[in-house]
């Protein structure tokens, strides 16, 4: 875990404000398909705020991705595979941004179909939840 002193954070903010504007940095857009509302899996609704905080920390640190800025496009999957696939497609085809990766979904039943689809666009997909440990030999979407 990174720890920052107040002086380091202040220096990072000042350098970002005066030396490099956010508009000058190349955006790296991450499509997030995490459950954000009421969810029977309590921990999964806590994922989105943690991801947003991580993105803020990375963007605030001048040594990390100095010519880039992370942009998070947060979508609520509601732990529903159909909804998540639809949102993934909308993120990929529905705007002028280039998605570089996907995060989510917070539920194994949603994560597996998303992983099966994301590799078709050659995009990494990161999730903390998926029940494929017993099927590592059948890794059709791990390429």
């Amino acid at each position: 875990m990174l720890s920052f002193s107040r002086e380091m954070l202040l220096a990072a903010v000042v350098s970002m404000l005066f030396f490099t504007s956010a508009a000058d940095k190349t955006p790296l857009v991450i499509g997030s398909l995490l459950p954000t509302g009421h969810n029977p899996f309590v921990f999964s609704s806590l994922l989105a705020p943690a991801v947003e905080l991580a993105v803020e920390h990375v963007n605030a640190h001048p040594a990390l991705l100095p010519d880039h800025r992370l942009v998070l496009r947060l979508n609520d999957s509601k732990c529903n595979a159909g909804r998540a696939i639809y949102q993934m497609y909308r993120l990929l085809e529905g705007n002028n941004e280039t998605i570089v990766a996907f995060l989510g979904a917070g539920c194994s039943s949603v994560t597996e179909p998303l992983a099966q689809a994301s590799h078709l666009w050659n995009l990494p997909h990161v999730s903390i939840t998926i029940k494929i440990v017993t099927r590592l030999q059948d890794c059709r979407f791990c390429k």
Side-chain angles (χ1 to χ4, degrees):
M1 185 167 162
L2 296 174
S3 65
F4 301 102
S5 68
R6 286 186 201 166
E7 294 79 18
M8 287 175 62
L9 287 173
L10 182 60
V13 170
V14 168
S15 67
M16 285 176 54
L17 290 174
F18 293 103
F19 301 114
T20 308
S21 74
D24 294 338
K25 294 185 173 190
T26 304
L28 299 175
V29 183
I30 300 170
S32 172
L33 300 158
L34 296 167
T36 57
H38 178 69
N39 189 308
F41 306 102
V42 176
F43 81 93
S44 22
S45 61
L46 302 174
L47 294 174
V51 170
E52 289 174 323
L53 183 61
V55 167
E56 287 177 23
H57 281 287
V58 169
N59 285 338
H61 197 290
L64 298 175
L65 303 172
D67 299 327
H68 300 84
R69 65 183 163 82
L70 295 179
V71 177
L72 186 65
R73 293 292 175 242
L74 190 60
N75 291 276
D76 186 359
S77 69
K78 296 188 179 187
C79 283
N80 179 297
R83 178 181 175 87
I85 291 289
Y86 173 73
Q87 290 174 338
M88 174 187 263
Y89 179 76
R90 280 190 34 191
L91 282 167
L92 289 166
E93 306 295 333
N95 60 40
N96 294 328
E97 296 177 318
T98 301
I99 304 293
V100 297
F102 283 102
L103 292 176
C107 310
S108 292
S109 61
V110 178
T111 300
E112 188 169 352
L114 287 175
Q116 290 172 341
S118 65
H119 91 278
L120 298 172
W121 284 275
N122 198 26
L123 293 172
H125 178 211
V126 179
S127 181
I128 65 162
T129 57
I130 189 159
K131 296 178 189 175
I132 63 164
V133 176
T134 59
R135 293 191 277 158
L136 289 177
Q137 283 75 20
D138 179 28
C139 199
R140 63 187 174 266
F141 47 88
C142 297
K143 298 175 177 137

